[in-house]
Amino acid sequence: MSRTSGARIIAAIFVVVFLIVIFRNEESAGTALLPYLPVLPSQRLSKPSSLLQAWIQDRTVLSEKSWKKSVELRDQMAKQHPDNPKVPFFPTDFLRFPFTIWDFFPATWTCPHDIQRVGRLGDGGKWVCGMNIYEGLPAPTAMQENVEIREAPIKAQEGLVIYSFGINAESSFEAEMLERVPSARIWGYDFSVDAWGPQIAAAYRDRTFFKKVGLGKEDKHESSPPFWTLPSLMKENNHTYIDILKIDIEGSEYDALDTMMDAFDNTRSASGNSVLPIGQVMIELHLGDGVHFDSRDAGSNVDFERFRNWWERLERMGMRPVWMEINLFAVTLGNSKSDPRCTEYVWVNAKDERSVLWKL
């Protein structure tokens, strides 16, 4: 046998062994050939490796460090403006103060899982931290066996609990969540429409619940339109926890979440942290423009001091920004709202032991 032929045989054997190792590592879903590079948990996994858990914890520590640095910079930048704490949202002297309000609140806490866009592109779709985790959750038994609820009732807190406020006939986000997450059940609320948008297929309607009410600061159930607070809705539904909260209520989000924080201000996690019973929030924040075009435009009353105090209270209760997307819809229309006054944020509750995002 020539040296060339021998070398080819050795090379072929090496390739075969290499492929076998790859496939074995892929099937075991532990770590690949490089043990220091963990893989994300797949739906086939029953228990992710301890290495992956340690990696998630390390990333969480680094994210917290990055977020704390941004909080320090926020304070420094605000103090540089002579109008602090009433800093203008959009300073007119941009050469001296080159920032907008959104620069004070960047998304500096990194989601340790995948982050995917769910729903249509543009207005209506939302970014979700840990979509692969949600997809891997088992559905309650009644859902798996496709039996009537009255025969095998699903407990209130079973499955992935999602609340959606502000529907406006656009339910592409909810439709995709129902399709991709077998355990998802969604409660929707909007006083301006009569039902979900047409995007939700009939096959998934039994996992949705709709009520024509608004989300408010106070319970006004007999008013027209009626308003409910978030704690009252949770109590009515026998929920003690919301996995995903989606909010787009045209400026009323400040008062609504104030009430939520008031209700759970004394609630402590196992580690002693004051936390909200919410795993993740997709929210559009509205600033208004100083003129009440709509009676619901509560954001018109928000200034920098109010916004910052509200935001930092949420941070103290565990919320961290992992994604932001400035909504340029009003700017594009070319009307009087020339500044980007609406921004989509995604917050995760980094201090919450109940979140499925941290139960790997």
Side-chain angles (χ1 to χ4, degrees):
M1 181 183 299
S2 66
R3 291 184 178 179
T4 302
S5 299
R8 289 176 179 173
I9 293 173
I10 294 173
I13 293 173
F14 176 80
V15 170
V16 170
V17 172
F18 183 79
L19 291 174
I20 290 174
V21 172
I22 287 179
F23 288 129
R24 287 179 62 85
N25 276 275
E26 189 70 23
E27 292 175 358
S28 66
T31 55
L33 291 176
L34 299 178
Y36 50 85
L37 291 179
V39 296
L40 288 172
S42 70
Q43 296 182 31
R44 295 175 298 169
L45 291 181
S46 59
K47 288 186 178 180
S49 67
S50 57
L51 180 60
L52 177 56
Q53 291 176 322
W55 182 73
I56 294 294
Q57 292 173 359
D58 288 345
R59 289 201 64 179
T60 299
V61 171
L62 290 173
S63 291
E64 195 73 3
K65 181 179 180 180
S66 175
W67 165 76
K68 288 180 178 179
K69 179 63 177 179
S70 70
V71 173
E72 295 175 4
L73 293 175
R74 175 196 308 163
D75 184 59
Q76 294 174 16
M77 190 160 69
K79 288 179 178 178
Q80 291 173 3
H81 199 283
D83 293 333
N84 182 56
K86 304 288 186 180
V87 178
F89 286 151
F90 307 98
T92 54
D93 189 354
F94 204 76
L95 291 178
R96 291 182 60 200
F97 307 107
F99 52 75
T100 71
I101 183 174
W102 309 122
D103 294 313
F104 286 88
F105 306 94
T108 53
W109 206 95
T110 303
C111 171
H113 307 292
D114 69 327
I115 187 162
Q116 299 182 29
R117 187 174 180 84
V118 176
R120 73 178 185 182
L121 298 178
D123 193 37
K126 304 295 179 184
W127 291 93
V128 181
C129 169
M131 189 64 185
N132 64 309
I133 301 296
Y134 296 137
E135 288 181 293
L137 296 175
T141 303
M143 292 185 193
Q144 294 174 351
E145 298 177 355
N146 195 27
V147 299
E148 292 292 335
I149 299 300
R150 63 177 178 271
E151 296 176 8
I154 301 173
K155 294 180 180 179
Q157 202 63 53
E158 286 186 330
L160 191 76
V161 174
I162 302 175
Y163 277 42
S164 179
F165 294 95
I167 295 165
N168 195 27
E170 209 302 297
S171 301
S172 61
F173 167 80
E174 292 83 1
E176 187 171 340
M177 290 298 293
L178 290 165
E179 179 183 357
R180 294 177 59 182
V181 183
S183 65
R185 292 191 292 160
I186 306 180
W187 283 257
Y189 303 94
D190 192 326
F191 67 82
S192 66
V193 295
D194 295 320
W196 294 103
Q199 296 82 6
I200 299 179
Y204 304 126
R205 291 280 175 165
D206 61 340
R207 290 195 275 139
T208 65
F209 311 87
F210 177 83
K211 192 167 187 174
K212 191 174 181 179
V213 303
L215 179 65
K217 180 179 181 179
E218 300 175 320
D219 285 304
K220 298 181 178 180
H221 301 174
E222 306 304 321
S223 65
S224 181
F227 281 87
W228 288 59
T229 64
L230 189 49
S232 292
L233 287 170
M234 291 178 67
K235 184 177 181 179
E236 182 189 49
N237 298 327
N238 292 319
H239 290 147
T240 59
Y241 191 81
I242 300 173
D243 292 286
I244 294 176
L245 173 62
K246 175 197 163 194
I247 301 183
D248 186 356
I249 52 176
E250 306 304 322
S252 298
E253 58 270 12
Y254 303 100
D255 287 343
L257 287 181
D258 274 337
T259 299
M260 184 72 174
M261 288 187 281
D262 289 342
F264 293 97
D265 198 32
N266 294 322
T267 302
R268 295 289 185 270
S269 66
S271 59
N273 298 305
S274 178
V275 297
L276 289 174
I278 305 172
Q280 182 169 186
V281 178
M282 295 96 187
I283 188 169
E284 182 170 51
L285 300 181
H286 307 77
L287 299 179
D289 58 3
V291 179
H292 281 282
F293 291 105
D294 190 302
S295 62
R296 292 170 293 160
D297 192 8
S300 298
N301 297 322
V302 177
D303 62 11
F304 183 85
E305 184 177 23
R306 158 74 164 134
F307 186 98
R308 181 180 177 181
N309 290 337
W310 177 83
W311 179 284
E312 292 182 348
R313 188 182 181 193
L314 285 163
E315 289 177 323
R316 288 193 296 272
M317 299 189 77
M319 290 300 170
R320 300 289 183 267
V322 300
W323 198 269
M324 66 180 294
E325 180 179 283
I326 295 178
N327 188 334
L328 299 176
F329 183 70
V331 177
T332 305
L333 288 177
N335 58 18
S336 60
K337 297 181 179 181
S338 59
D339 294 316
R341 296 179 176 272
C342 301
T343 293
E344 303 272 0
Y345 274 97
V346 178
W347 301 324
V348 296
N349 198 329
K351 301 299 183 182
D352 179 19
E353 292 90 347
R354 296 183 63 179
S355 174
V356 297
L357 296 178
W358 319 134
K359 293 179 179 180
L360 297 179

